[in-house]
Amino acid sequence: MALFRKTEQEEQGLPVPAHLGIIMDGNGRWAKKRGLPRTAGHAAGAKVFRTIAKHCEKRGIRTVTFYTFSTENWKRPQAEVDAIMDLLRQYLKESLADFQKENIRTRFIGDRSALSADIQQLMQEAEESTAHKTGMDLNLAINYGGRAELVNAMRRIAEQVQAGKLSPEAIDEDCVWQHLYTAGQPEVDMILRPSGEYRLSNFLIWQCAYAEYVFEDILWPDFTVRDLDKALEEYGKRHRRFGGL
Ligand code: FPP
């Protein structure tokens, strides 16, 4: 099954990645350049997120994951954390009506237990009201960390072993895949990170084992659909070998 995930994009000759991960970076610098508070950068970034998410669907991408808030982002000043949570709240409220028009299934990945109760409720409604959609999967990574995801998977696997439902010999790559937040979704073919930073920052670390990286020197709030098309073109030129020749 893991092998199928790796070659699916190639076998089907898809012109675009089956799973694209996007690190929305550069909001703070964008605001600073304009003499605005960092929160204005996040607000501009949230608008771009909507435009780019819709464009991903148009381009036939099956799964896209946006890095929205990491397990490390709690270290930011409280006012900035609150502003990001407000944007998320606003997006969820507005989108609940909008979701009906689109063929997009929304999923939240990360530990939502640390989020406020109203946001958790909105997330659940967003997931439930889009669960039947058959188009693109839109993952929002919130309070997400790749290491935390693996710890969570290991804990759940260990519980099954302890309960006698799983033998240690049955733990293989497929078993790990099935316990990730992205269970059932393709592995990540491409990571896009704008803003001139060249890091993965604890994003989808298991799923990215064979991902192609495209870095752009553009701050996220300036990112356009044309920039996404260019990045996809760059991805299309890559020769993927998955360890073979
Ligand atoms: C990274 O830029 C961005 C974040 C940590 C937050 C991303 C959040 C949004 C785009 C808004 C909320 C999104 C939704 C889906 C409603 P940075 O602040 O680290 O930028 P910098 O490196 O220039 O400081």
Side-chain angles (χ1 to χ4, degrees):
M1 201 166 154
L3 190 65
F4 173 70
R5 269 192 204 89
K6 279 177 191 162
T7 55
E8 185 179 24
Q9 188 270 340
E10 286 201 324
E11 276 174 2
Q12 295 187 7
L14 296 174
V16 293
H19 190 164
L20 166 65
I22 301 183
I23 303 179
M24 303 187 279
D25 195 15
N27 296 344
R29 278 165 284 166
W30 181 91
K32 194 171 174 205
K33 264 171 60 181
R34 286 162 179 76
L36 297 169
R38 292 178 55 83
T39 50
H42 295 313
K47 279 194 192 144
V48 172
F49 151 75
R50 287 161 201 244
T51 309
I52 296 296
K54 285 183 183 160
H55 194 62
C56 285
E57 203 228 347
K58 268 198 209 132
R59 290 297 316 264
I61 292 168
R62 283 228 325 269
T63 304
V64 60
T65 303
F66 286 89
Y67 208 2
T68 306
F69 193 84
S70 76
T71 44
E72 288 72 38
N73 286 152
W74 297 107
K75 293 182 209 152
R76 295 188 177 208
Q78 190 59 42
E80 181 168 341
V81 171
D82 290 345
I84 294 174
M85 291 300 154
D86 274 346
L87 286 166
L88 178 62
R89 197 176 269 117
Q90 192 187 330
Y91 163 73
L92 287 166
K93 284 184 183 160
E94 285 169 16
S95 302
L96 277 168
D98 223 29
F99 283 148
Q100 310 315 320
K101 292 181 230 145
E102 287 154 9
N103 196 17
I104 296 177
R105 186 164 57 169
T106 301
R107 186 189 283 198
F108 297 94
I109 64 168
D111 175 11
R112 63 184 81 181
S113 67
L115 305 174
S116 66
D118 72 308
I119 292 187
Q120 289 187 47
Q121 177 65 30
L122 287 165
M123 285 173 155
Q124 196 183 327
E125 283 172 33
E127 285 180 337
E128 284 171 4
S129 65
T130 61
H132 61 288
K133 303 281 183 175
T134 54
M136 185 179 77
D137 273 354
L138 169 65
N139 296 337
L140 281 148
I142 296 167
N143 194 22
Y144 173 88
R147 288 179 181 168
E149 178 178 37
L150 288 171
V151 169
N152 175 59
M154 286 179 208
R155 208 172 269 161
R156 287 169 50 220
I157 291 170
E159 281 164 5
Q160 289 174 41
V161 173
Q162 197 176 36
K165 292 181 187 156
L166 187 69
S167 74
E169 295 72 38
I171 303 171
D172 56 11
E173 289 192 13
D174 271 355
C175 174
V176 176
W177 275 111
Q178 284 157 22
H179 289 85
L180 299 177
Y181 295 126
T182 57
Q185 295 179 329
E187 83 172 69
V188 174
D189 293 308
M190 170 179 166
I191 284 287
L192 170 65
R193 182 166 194 157
S195 98
E197 305 284 356
Y198 305 92
R199 284 189 292 276
L200 188 55
S201 301
N202 201 15
F203 188 43
L204 301 171
I205 51 180
W206 172 282
Q207 297 89 333
C208 275
Y210 287 96
E212 297 291 330
Y213 293 81
V214 179
F215 298 104
E216 299 287 350
D217 203 4
I218 304 165
L219 301 174
W220 177 250
D222 289 328
F223 204 80
T224 65
V225 293
R226 252 184 65 83
D227 296 320
L228 178 60
D229 286 341
K230 264 176 53 195
L232 291 173
E233 210 174 291
E234 162 67 27
Y235 166 83
K237 289 183 199 151
R238 303 274 175 93
H239 177 47
R240 305 185 73 204
R241 296 199 301 274
F242 299 102
L245 293 178

